Amino acid sequence: MTRVIVEADGGSRGNPGPAGYGAVVWDSGHGRVLAERKESIGVATNNVAEYRGLIAGLAAAAELGASEVDVRMDSKLVVEQMSGRWKVKHTAMIPLAGQARQLVSGFDIVRFQWIPRADNSHADRLANEAMDDAPLIESVRAAESARVARSESAGASPGSTRAAESAAARPRSARAAIDAAQSAADGTRSASGTRSDSGVAGSDSGVVRSDPAAAGSDSAAVVPSDSSPAERAASAIAGATGSGGGAPAASGGPGWSGAVGRPTRLLLLRHGQTELSIQRRYSGRGNPPLTALGREQAARAAEHLAAKGGIAAVVSSPLERAQETATAAARALDVPVRVLDGLIETDFGEWEGLTFSEAAQRDPEVHAAWLGDPSLPPPGGESFDRVRERVEQVRRDLAALYPERNVLVVSHVTPIKTLLQLALGVGPSLLYRLHLDLASLSIAEFYPDGGSSVRLVNETSYL
């Protein structure tokens, strides 16, 4: 697939008020719908909702493998800002515009065009459906938050880490949320959804060519803890899951990172045991199933995650060992599994199925050089630099698809190490020095302002 059309919209009943977005991806002839996205996003302004719709539409286009995108929106502000003709001034919009630009950088070319609202009716309908669903969604979240609060109040001692993180994860009052969002209310849509954007249809378009340098770089901080591994895991996940149903992660960056806002929190689960892992052989694109112990490991990890709850989505590598592990967790969490090709393990080429010693004996010079140079691929295989490129794209897509949510990512050693490397902002030495056990859990967070952190690495206490 090469060219698609993305139409996106967002609205707020109150500006700020209950808000939602909608996005639709059409084929190049505007005759067939390829994907739809909609979501209620709580209290926000019109412009925040519109940017969220744009991000969702671009992420959907990326999933479809598009290289060229025509974005059509009836938001003059978003079109002009994304085309580079207007400056992004409001603090609430700056990280959203950054997310959108990161997604844009993944395409060969993206064109932005303003269209009349009547021509954006499909996306507008999706946004209104999302806003219509908001009262039900909020009532469910409130009930679940109350249940979790009662449970933690009964089980946690005063001043405990879990109680503190649960309190941090609870949403602000509606009035506080509205007051905070008011500073970013530069749109002109009324409570009924009408808007007075000015502009002439047909001439308000812009072309943005991909510029990888515009994506910027992530800063990071590791959060230290003196507690036991089990307590660290519980605390890290509890901070992400103060309420069920994929509730937002706690606001504010940890430690010394200075990150602001609510992160997309990735719970990184390595697959369970296979025959090749028992024999300590390179296992890349080969597709061995889980052993009996591997299935047991997957079941225990699933039980552990289900007890915490609050996970909005489960995504998996396409390989069988990862999908088996992901399916166990998805069943326990009652969410579907989405397969993402970018999470597949490194292609070890001609070293597939060999032990470390066998590969070193077969290609001594190449193997020695490969251990210190991420740009070098194994014979007939894939370099770690190439893995990083596709994993970074997955990270951007997940941040755009699930902002402020908790996502279970089931994958392999190299993609998980790469996500931790991205969160820490460190060099490739991590790939060679970090150990990850089978069915282990790590947690990385990516904030809307570009910040990132690692909360947990190689947790296995539940096995």
Side-chain angles (χ1 to χ4, degrees):
M1 177 169 299
T2 55
R3 177 176 173 267
V4 298
I5 298 168
V6 170
E7 293 173 350
D9 197 15
S12 171
R13 293 171 180 168
N15 197 34
Y21 68 76
V24 57
V25 183
W26 299 87
D27 65 6
S28 59
H30 203 269
R32 182 165 61 98
V33 173
L34 304 176
E36 289 183 339
R37 299 285 186 271
K38 64 178 180 179
E39 184 182 2
S40 167
I41 60 173
V43 175
T45 66
N46 297 320
N47 299 137
V48 166
E50 288 163 344
Y51 261 110
R52 290 285 296 275
L54 170 62
I55 290 166
L58 289 172
E63 283 186 28
L64 292 167
S67 60
E68 184 176 340
V69 182
D70 287 310
V71 176
R72 301 174 181 176
M73 298 182 68
D74 61 302
S75 170
K76 179 79 167 176
L77 179 94
V78 175
V79 167
E80 293 297 313
Q81 288 179 341
M82 290 303 300
S83 299
R85 291 187 289 266
W86 291 3
K87 184 177 180 180
V88 183
K89 298 179 180 179
H90 291 276
T91 55
M93 249 67 71
I94 291 173
L96 294 173
Q99 279 185 267
R101 290 190 181 108
Q102 283 186 331
L103 286 167
V104 165
S105 71
F107 301 101
D108 292 339
I109 188 168
V110 178
R111 288 176 285 266
F112 289 89
Q113 180 183 1
W114 179 87
I115 58 174
R117 189 177 182 195
D119 294 345
N120 202 25
S121 58
H122 194 124
D124 180 72
R125 172 177 58 79
L126 293 173
N128 277 287
E129 288 175 358
M131 287 184 280
D132 291 341
D133 291 341
L136 175 61
I137 293 170
E138 290 305 315
S139 65
V140 171
R141 286 177 178 170
E144 182 64 12
S145 294
R147 182 192 67 77
V148 172
R150 287 194 301 270
S151 174
E152 291 185 345
S153 177
S157 60
S160 70
T161 300
R162 183 176 297 181
E165 292 216 2
S166 176
R170 293 184 191 117
R172 298 172 296 172
S173 68
R175 183 65 259 164
I178 290 174
D179 290 343
Q182 185 67 60
S183 63
D186 61 325
T188 54
R189 191 189 300 267
S190 70
S192 63
T194 59
R195 184 170 51 201
S196 59
D197 286 324
S198 60
V200 179
S203 62
D204 299 305
S205 62
V207 178
V208 180
R209 297 186 182 274
S210 63
D211 181 4
S217 60
D218 291 337
S219 59
V222 179
V223 181
S225 173
D226 298 326
S227 56
S228 69
E231 289 170 335
R232 288 199 303 273
S235 177
I237 300 176
T241 57
S243 61
S251 178
W256 298 86
S257 71
V260 296
R262 297 180 183 273
T264 296
R265 182 169 287 157
L266 304 183
L267 290 83
L268 310 173
L269 180 64
R270 188 186 174 195
H271 62 79
Q273 184 193 74
T274 71
E275 286 296 335
L276 286 183
S277 56
I278 294 174
Q279 300 166 20
R280 301 183 65 81
R281 295 182 179 276
Y282 284 113
S283 181
R285 301 298 174 85
N287 212 14
L290 298 181
T291 62
L293 176 58
R295 291 190 293 273
E296 182 180 345
Q297 291 170 332
R300 290 183 178 181
E303 181 181 3
H304 177 69
L305 292 163
K308 304 305 175 185
I311 294 174
V314 177
V315 297
S316 172
S317 155
L319 295 177
E320 182 178 354
R321 56 192 183 272
Q323 288 203 56
E324 281 190 81
T325 306
T327 298
R331 286 173 179 165
L333 293 164
D334 195 25
V335 296
V337 177
R338 170 178 285 182
V339 174
L340 299 180
D341 290 343
L343 292 173
I344 198 169
E345 179 58 293
T346 307
D347 184 351
F348 292 113
E350 296 174 16
W351 295 345
E352 180 74 21
L354 301 182
T355 65
F356 184 94
S357 297
E358 289 170 346
Q361 291 171 5
R362 181 185 185 277
D363 301 294
E365 294 183 3
V366 175
H367 193 266
W370 173 76
L371 288 174
D373 188 346
S375 69
L376 294 178
E382 178 184 33
S383 71
F384 287 147
D385 279 352
R386 179 67 189 94
V387 174
R388 178 181 173 120
E389 290 176 9
R390 59 177 167 83
V391 170
E392 168 64 7
Q393 183 62 53
V394 169
R395 185 202 68 79
R396 290 197 300 263
D397 291 348
L398 291 177
L401 283 168
Y402 305 105
E404 305 179 6
R405 293 294 184 265
N406 310 305
V407 181
L408 177 63
V409 178
V410 184
S411 188
H412 312 268
V413 166
T414 313
I416 291 175
K417 286 184 179 181
T418 301
L419 285 164
L420 293 171
Q421 179 192 6
L422 292 169
L424 291 170
V426 297
S429 62
L430 179 143
L431 300 173
Y432 307 102
R433 299 179 183 180
L434 178 65
H435 174 77
L436 294 177
D437 286 302
L438 293 161
S440 64
L441 181 68
S442 303
I443 299 178
E445 298 176 327
F446 298 93
Y447 286 78
D449 67 348
S452 55
S453 64
V454 171
R455 281 188 176 267
L456 187 71
V457 176
N458 201 42
E459 168 59 23
T460 58
S461 64
Y462 46 83
L463 297 176

